Amino acid sequence: MNGDLVQTDSELHDATPLFAGTRVPIQTLFDCLAAGDTLGLFLFDFPSVSRVMAVAALEQASRARRAAGRS
C-alpha cells in the first residue's frame, strides 16, 4: 500500500497497517465490505477515513491481486 495512505505504529494495534492519520486498520475496510456493508456505510462508521483513502486502498489491493495472479 502507498506510504501516504498507510501507517504502522507498534503501540497501536501491534503494528497493524492503519489508514494514515487514523486508528482505523485497513483490514477493517475489507472486513466491512466482505460482510456486505457498502463503502458509504464504512465511511459513515469511520469518518476519519476519507473516500479518497478508501478507494485508493481498494485500487491498490486490486492491483496487487492481479499482479499475484500473473506470478
Side-chain angles (χ1 to χ4, degrees), residues 32-53:
C32 287
L33 294 174
D37 293 344
T38 63
L39 178 58
L41 182 58
F42 170 81
L43 295 170
F44 179 81
D45 288 343
F46 298 96
S48 61
V49 178
S50 72
R51 178 172 294 276
V52 169
M53 293 166 72

Side-chain angles (χ1 to χ4, degrees), residues 9-41:
D9 185 333
S10 59
E11 295 180 23
L12 298 173
H13 300 284
D14 299 322
T16 298
L18 307 171
F19 283 101
T22 77
R23 291 180 175 239
V24 181
I26 292 178
Q27 184 62 46
T28 302
L29 170 61
F30 299 112
D31 292 345
C32 287
L33 294 174
D37 293 344
T38 63
L39 178 58
L41 182 58

